[in-house]
Amino acid sequence: METVQAAKEVNGMIAFTLVVPELQQLLLEEAGKAGIPVVDIMGPMIDGLSRLFQREPKREPGLVHRLDEDYFRRVEAIEFAVKYDDGRDPRGLLRADVILIGVSRTSKTPLSMYLAHKRLKVANVPLVPEVEPPEELFMIDNKKCIGLTIQPEQLNNIRRERLKALGLTSRANYANMERILQELEYAEKIMKRVGCPIVDVSNKAVEETANLILDILRKGGTAV
């Protein structure tokens, strides 16, 4: 082996992190023949962890780099979700893997962050009767868009609690039932215009809704 020969020429030693048993054995044998000292850096730790967790190591080269790639993709997706949250920049809709649309307090932001941890680039757009949706919303593939709706009574309760947390009166128009019905009706019209699947988030945890969305995406945008 070239490595063993190079170490022999400089009277050196070999420290290695090989995870494939056959390669480990080959290196140990060749180094032993040449009288080169060797140190297995990761072997004892892997063996110790294997005994502790009673699981066999995968012994696949390159897993660390694959984990790094996965980590950076997740970070990129999270940064994307933050940048294009709440319709801040409609240009992000054309670059997103998923676009969430719905009225205020339908969990658009929490869902965006949850899906970002699944390495999906998510943008979301609030639907408000007085504000025309960005034209980019009608340019995207409708299979990438998910409409979020909710039962009026539950939305009313959520908005009342939100106002209370902000120190505002629950009589504000934001929590007015007539206003809520108007918003939901408007949002439904926009969703039908886009032609996207619609998910009812009523009484659902973020994780549950996110799994529904992922299932829809896997099925190619089938409505639920």
Side-chain angles (χ1 to χ4, degrees), residues 66-156:
R66 265 185 271 171
L67 287 172
D68 287 344
E69 181 183 354
D70 182 74
Y71 169 79
F72 286 116
R73 284 180 60 191
R74 185 178 293 111
V75 169
E76 182 182 7
I78 293 172
E79 290 176 344
F80 187 95
V82 172
K83 183 175 181 180
Y84 298 109
D85 181 46
D86 208 29
R88 290 176 187 168
D89 186 347
R91 292 174 299 180
L93 302 182
L94 303 176
R95 298 174 46 216
D97 298 318
V98 188
I99 301 96
L100 304 178
I101 59 175
V103 301
S104 174
R105 314 313 294 178
T106 48
S107 301
K108 294 186 299 298
T109 296
L111 283 168
S112 295
M113 298 307 299
Y114 187 94
L115 293 170
H117 279 275
K118 302 292 185 181
R119 303 182 303 281
L120 291 172
K121 293 181 179 178
V122 187
N124 72 75
V125 178
L127 299 179
V128 184
E130 293 78 15
V131 181
E132 184 69 19
E135 60 182 22
E136 287 86 353
L137 183 61
F138 306 102
M139 298 166 57
I140 60 171
D141 181 353
N142 62 359
K143 293 180 181 178
K144 297 198 304 181
C145 185
I146 304 291
L148 303 175
T149 190
I150 188 172
Q151 294 301 312
E153 295 78 12
Q154 185 173 353
L155 182 56
N156 179 256

Side-chain angles (χ1 to χ4, degrees), residues 96-219:
D97 298 318
V98 188
I99 301 96
L100 304 178
I101 59 175
V103 301
S104 174
R105 314 313 294 178
T106 48
S107 301
K108 294 186 299 298
T109 296
L111 283 168
S112 295
M113 298 307 299
Y114 187 94
L115 293 170
H117 279 275
K118 302 292 185 181
R119 303 182 303 281
L120 291 172
K121 293 181 179 178
V122 187
N124 72 75
V125 178
L127 299 179
V128 184
E130 293 78 15
V131 181
E132 184 69 19
E135 60 182 22
E136 287 86 353
L137 183 61
F138 306 102
M139 298 166 57
I140 60 171
D141 181 353
N142 62 359
K143 293 180 181 178
K144 297 198 304 181
C145 185
I146 304 291
L148 303 175
T149 190
I150 188 172
Q151 294 301 312
E153 295 78 12
Q154 185 173 353
L155 182 56
N156 179 256
N157 291 333
I158 292 172
R159 289 189 175 185
R160 283 175 178 272
E161 290 300 317
R162 177 61 175 166
L163 289 172
K164 188 184 298 183
L166 295 173
L168 302 173
T169 174
S170 60
R171 295 179 181 176
N173 193 42
Y174 182 67
N176 179 275
M177 182 59 80
E178 185 177 344
R179 169 65 182 185
I180 286 173
L181 292 172
Q182 179 190 4
E183 288 186 34
L184 290 172
E185 182 180 0
Y186 172 77
E188 185 179 359
K189 289 180 180 178
I190 296 299
M191 293 172 194
K192 287 182 178 179
R193 182 178 165 191
V194 174
C196 64
I198 300 175
V199 175
D200 190 338
V201 303
S202 303
N203 301 311
K204 290 185 178 68
V206 169
E207 295 85 353
E208 184 181 357
T209 305
N211 286 332
L212 283 172
I213 291 172
L214 291 171
D215 191 49
I216 290 171
L217 296 173
R218 281 192 291 266
K219 293 178 180 177

